Amino acid sequence: MALSASAESSPTVAYRFSFPDAVHHVMQVEATFEHLPPRPLEVQMSRSSPGRYAAFEFASNVFEEKFTDGDKKPLQVSRPDPRSWTVAGHHGTVHVTYRLFGDKVDGTFFAIDTTHAHINFPATVMWAHGLDDSPVRITFALPPGSDWKIATQLYPTTDASTFTAPNLQYLMDSPAELSHFAMSTFQVPAIAAGGKAQTIRVVAHSQATDAEFNDYVAGAHKLVLEEQAVFGELPDYEPGYYTFLADALPWDGGDGMEHRNSTVMTGHKLSLSTVAHEFFHNWNVERIRPEGLEPFNFRDVNMSGEMFIAEGFTQYYGNLAMLRSGITTQPDGMNGFAHDLSYVLDTPGSSYRSAMDMSRLAPFVDGSSDLFPTYWNNDFVSYYIYGEVIALGLDLELRARSNSRITLDDFMRAMWRSYGKPGGPAPGLVGHPYNIADVQKQLAAVSGDPQFAADFVHRYIEGTEKLNYAGLFLKAGFVLRRLSSPASLGDIRLEKSEHGVRVTRSTMIGSPAYEAGLDLDDELISVAGTPIPTPDVLLKALASHQVGDKVELVFLRRGQQVKALATLTTTPGFELIPIESTGGTLTANQKQFRDAWLGSKVKIKAHS
Ligand SMILES: [Zn+2]
C-alpha cells in the first residue's frame, strides 16, 4: 500500500508480542517507533490503568530492555525517573525489546502461563510521549503449534494475528485474551425505529462445561436486553461488536474491568452479576464520563468526585438488572439492598464524608493499603455502595414524586443523550465529559423541578444527609427495619493471641467496645467475668445478656491491664421485608409501584 506524504511524516507505533517463556510467566515485547521528529524520544511504563484508580508501578516487572536505532545500533539511554527512558541519537526510528514478567489474572495486571496470555496494555507496553494520536499496530506471534486464539476490542485486520488501535487511549483501553477459549455471538435488535442492531460476543477461558457456558451466555443475553431497555439503545461499538472477556479459573483473582467495547471478568467461576455491572459501564463511565477521567492520565492517578455515579449508579443498575431479568429473586435482591444500606448507614465515615469526598479517595483505596495501617473501616465508605444507595434512594424518590411516571432510567437516558451519545473527536475519546453541575442540570430537567435537583445534590451528594429510606421503601410495600439481634459490643474483629484475643481492626466509632476504650491491638482477656480464649467464646459470653446491660471488659493495652464497662447494643444492620410478610397488607398502589420498579422492561424476546 502506498503511503501518503502526510502519513510518511507522522510517527507510527508498532508492538509485537511473543511467548517463548510462557512457562516462566515471561513475555517478549518488541516496540518500534518510526517517523519520529529529531529530538530525544521519551518512553515510559504507565502508573495507572483505565478503570483502576490507584497508582501501580508497572515498570517493576520490565527487564532486559534494549534500545536500538533503525540500523540495529545501540542507542544512548538515560533514566529521568524509575519508569521512564529517554532515548537520544536516533535518526527517526527507535526499536526497543524487553521482557515482562506477569502472573496476576485480573482487570489491571498482565498474566501469562502455558494456557494463556492475559494482556492489559497499561501493564504491558512502553509508550512514547507525544505520540498519543499516532496509530498503533499490534501483532501477537502465537506460540508455534498452540491452540490459542485472540479475543480483543482492538480493530481486526486481514491478518488474524495483527490488530490496530487508532491512538494511545484506545490501545490502553483494549485488553486481549489469547487462549483456547469458547466463544458465542448473539445479535441485539434495535428497540427504537431507525436504530441499529448490535453484535455481542461472549468469550470464556474457563473449565465450564458446554451447558454451563450456554447458560452463562443466555443469562448475559437477558442482562444486555434489560440494560438496553434503560437507555433505549446500545452504543455503537467501534470495532463492530462488544466482547465479554471472561477468564474463570480456580487460580484467578476475582475482578471485573470495564472498557469501551469490551470487559474483562475474572474469578473462580463465570459470574452473571459481574456481567450485569460491567455491561452497564459501556454507557456509564465509558461514554457518560466524568471530567476527572478524561482523557485518562497514564502518568499519574486519576481523581474524580463523580466516582459514586460512575461506579455506584452502575452498582445499583447491575443489581436492578439482575432483579428485573429474574436472575436474582426478589428476596435475595432485597437482602442485597438491605445489606448495602446497613453498610452505608452504620459506617461512621458516611457522617464525616459525602459521596463526592469518598469518590476522591479512590486513588488511596483502589489498591493495596497493606503497607501501613489506615482508619478506613471508620472514615471510609466505598463509593460503589454509597453511590448505589444514593441511586436507589433517588430512583424511589423520583417514582414517589411522579406516581412512577419519572424514574432514574429517565435521568440515565438524559445523561446518555447529553454526554455519552454525541461521541468524541476520535475512537476512545469522550467529547463531552460531565461534572456535578451537569448532573444537577439533568436532574432538574428530568424531574421538572430545579429546586428539588439543587436540594438533592446539596444535601445527599455534596452533603452527608441521608434520605428517608424507610419511608421510600414503604411506597413499594417493603418494610425497612433494624435487625432484631442479640446484645453486642459492636462489629469487632478478633484473633487468638497470647493472653486472650487480640483486636485486629480499629473498633467502630460509637460502638460499645469503642466507648469502653477498647481498640486496635488491645488483648481482650474477659467479658462479664467470662474468659475469652478464642473469638467464638465472645458470643457465648454475651448470650445471657440484654441490650442495655453494662458488662465489664478486662483487657491488656500496651502491657497494662485495663478494666472498663461497656453498655451493650443490638448488632448493627437492617432488614428489608415485604409488607405482606410482616402481617400487613400490600395495597394496590404499593403493588403497582413495586411492579413498575422491579418488573422487566424488555419488550423484545431473548433467544435461548
Ligand atoms: Zn465498576
Side-chain angles (χ1 to χ4, degrees), residues 256 258 277-278 281 310-311 314 384:
E258 67 279 5
H277 178 100
E278 300 306 330
H281 272 315
E311 286 299 350
T314 299
Y384 282 75

Side-chain angles (χ1 to χ4, degrees), residues 174-202:
S174 301
E177 168 70 17
L178 282 55
S179 63
H180 186 64
F181 50 72
M183 183 161 94
S184 179
T185 299
F186 58 84
Q187 296 283 323
V188 180
I191 303 174
K196 239 174 91 179
Q198 299 288 342
T199 301
I200 310 286
R201 312 191 306 177
V202 183

Side-chain angles (χ1 to χ4, degrees), residues 153 155 170 188 190 194-200 228 231-243 259-262 279 282-283 286-287 416 420-424 426-429:
Q153 68 168 40
Y155 292 38
Y170 195 92
V188 180
K196 239 174 91 179
Q198 299 288 342
T199 301
I200 310 286
Q228 178 192 33
F231 291 95
E233 61 188 331
L234 295 178
D236 218 351
Y237 302 118
E238 280 97 359
Y241 39 77
Y242 181 91
T243 309
H259 299 279
R260 205 175 157 81
N261 301 307
S262 64
F279 193 70
N282 84 70
W283 295 272
E286 290 303 331
R287 292 170 173 85
W416 164 242
K421 194 174 180 183
L429 295 171

